[in-house]
Structure formats: C-alpha cells, structure tokens
Amino acid sequence: MSGCQLKQFSVQRETQRWCYDLQIPAGQGIALMGPSGCGKSSLLEAIAGFIPHQGALWIAGVDVSQQPAQKRPVSYLFQQQNFFEHLTVATNLRLGFAQSHPTAEQWQAVLSACEQLEVATLLDRRPAELSGGQQQRLALIRTLLRPQPLVLLDEPFSALDDQLRDTACQWVKAQLKRQQQSLILITHRAEEAEQLTQHRFSPKDFLHTHKNPS
Ligand SMILES: Nc1ncnc2c1ncn2[C@@H]1O[C@H](COP(=O)(O)OP(=O)(O)OP(=O)(O)O)[C@@H](O)[C@H]1O
C-alpha cells in the first residue's frame, strides 16, 4: 500500500507512552498540534528512527520498523536546519540527493523552487551568511525535493513573515501533490494545518501515562 501506516506504534519517554494507529494516504497529510511537551517531536523522532519505538511502521508498502534511521525513506526538517556550515548553500542542497548528485531534472526543480521562494541569489553563500527565514526556505527546498515518500516537517514556517509563509505553504502543497508524498506537520497555526493537511490531532489523545511503582 502507498502512503504511510502506523499500527500499534508506541513511543516511550520515561513514564509517558503514546500508542498510535494512523493511516496517511500518499499525497495527504496530518498535523500534530497541542501544547509544549505533549509529544509532537517525539512522534517524528520515532518515525524517523532516532528514538526507539514498538509496533509497525509501513511506508510506501514496506514495513520499515526494523530499519535504522539512515535507511528509512523519510525526509525530515528539524526546527534547526542542520546545514553544513563550511559548505555553500548549493552544495548543501545537492547533499539531499543520492550520492549528492541530483539528476539534471532534479537540479532544475531545485533552481525553480529557489526562484519561487526568493532565495535563488543565495546559492553561493555559506549558511552563516543567511537570515533565519532564508535558511528556513532553503531547508524546506532541500527537504521537499528529496524523493522520499514520507515528509516530516517540524514548525517549517516559523521564521517567515505572512506573505512568505503563504508562498512557502502553497509551494509545499504543490510539491506534495506532484510527488504524491505523505506529510506529518508540527504546527501551532491552524491556518497552516488546514492548508496542508486533511486531519489534525494532539498526541495528548494517544497518551497512556504510567505511574511509577511506589
Ligand atoms: N531526550 C529526552 N529524554 C527524556 N524525555 C524527553 C526527551 N525529550 C523530550 N522528553 C519529554 O517527552 C515529552 C514530550 O516531548 P516532545 O519534545 O515530544 O514534546 P513537543 O510536543 O514536541 O514539545 P514542544 O512543542 O515544546 O517542542 C515531554 O514530557 C518531554 O519532557
């Protein structure tokens, strides 16, 4: 089956445990909302393979739950953009593709995205020479153009003003549709969730709290 499916997928942080049964069809998305500390980032980290989980995780028809993080077909944008500081923006963008060699078509898509998101003149700079909003748009481009079936975005528009936020949101929506990627989005803004996803929920609703033995 295409898309992404979590079956009895459980994540543990000390005394807290969340258990999820979710399905996200290809080209569709869900938004994780809710207060600080409710478990939004923990779910993304477990799906990406950075923290342990139990249960099954199917992505594009394959159960990847036993795979290490680097093998999972997931493209993840953290709140910190994690660029290599000693490399130019262009080289950082190339690193998103297999063997760091995008095809001519893939690189054309990168350049076109850079034009649309108004960062095309920045490709020869180093990340430290960019504003927070410029870094965020370039990180979005790197994340969305990696040809992975599942995209995880953690507050991807937080450094953008309203006009750029709207432009970036529309671009993300078009990319997901064109590449039939599933999305899990963390956001505090209802309008972003409505624009990009079909379902919204809080991890709080999936929480089982254990009492420490006394
Ligand atoms: N590395 C860690 N070790 C132990 N507990 C952690 C760790 N990281 C987070 N937690 C705890 O797990 C719970 C969920 O945290 P998580 O970061 O997933 O929440 P969040 O909803 O993403 O919060 P925020 O909106 O503030 O980023 C919190 O109680 C937090 O204190």
Side-chain angles (χ1 to χ4, degrees):
M1 186 209 113
S2 59
C4 169
Q5 201 173 7
L6 283 69
K7 285 190 197 163
Q8 299 192 348
F9 184 91
S10 77
V11 184
Q12 179 105 30
R13 287 278 205 207
E14 297 174 338
T15 60
Q16 301 174 98
R17 187 170 68 87
W18 298 260
C19 193
Y20 297 93
D21 278 285
L22 296 172
Q23 196 161 329
I24 314 166
Q28 294 199 14
I30 59 170
L32 304 182
M33 306 186 77
S36 178
C38 74
K40 303 180 295 293
S41 301
S42 298
L43 177 56
L44 294 199
E45 287 165 25
I47 290 172
F50 298 140
I51 63 171
H53 63 80
Q54 293 184 319
L57 171 63
W58 290 79
I59 301 174
V62 178
D63 182 356
V64 301
S65 50
Q66 302 303 315
Q67 291 185 2
Q70 69 274 17
K71 291 218 167 140
R72 294 193 180 189
V74 166
S75 195
Y76 190 168
L77 176 58
F78 300 90
Q79 281 185 35
Q80 301 77 24
Q81 280 92 37
N82 293 330
F83 284 117
F84 289 102
E85 292 293 340
H86 61 294
L87 301 175
T88 63
V89 166
T91 306
N92 269 287
L93 290 172
R94 283 197 187 89
L95 292 178
F97 296 93
Q99 279 89 47
S100 306
H101 277 294
T103 62
E105 191 184 344
Q106 286 171 327
W107 191 244
Q108 195 48 51
V110 170
L111 297 179
S112 159
C114 288
E115 289 288 343
Q116 284 181 60
L117 299 189
E118 301 173 28
V119 286
T121 57
L122 308 175
L123 293 180
D124 293 330
R125 293 203 194 170
R126 300 275 190 284
E129 298 165 338
L130 304 175
S131 73
Q134 289 168 338
Q135 287 200 26
Q136 200 167 45
R137 278 172 282 156
L138 286 157
L140 251 187
I141 291 168
R142 184 183 59 178
T143 306
L144 264 294
L145 291 178
R146 286 185 67 208
Q148 301 288 20
L150 179 61
V151 176
L152 308 174
L153 301 179
D154 192 345
E155 295 275 6
F157 312 114
S158 57
L160 305 183
D161 63 35
D162 286 348
Q163 185 239 315
L164 278 173
R165 182 186 293 264
D166 194 50
T167 304
C169 215
Q170 284 179 29
W171 179 78
V172 168
K173 189 173 182 177
Q175 284 305 310
L176 294 170
K177 187 167 177 213
R178 192 171 68 78
Q179 304 194 118
Q180 283 297 290
Q181 291 163 301
S182 302
L183 169 69
I184 306 181
L185 169 73
I186 295 180
T187 180
H188 292 286
R189 298 174 73 107
E191 61 271 34
E192 282 172 16
E194 275 160 30
Q195 211 172 336
L196 288 176
T197 66
Q198 284 69 32
H199 300 284
R200 290 115 223 159
F201 62 82
S202 167
K204 269 195 313 181
D205 302 334
F206 296 79
L207 186 61
H208 304 254
T209 305
H210 298 285
K211 294 214 171 5
N212 279 326
S214 49

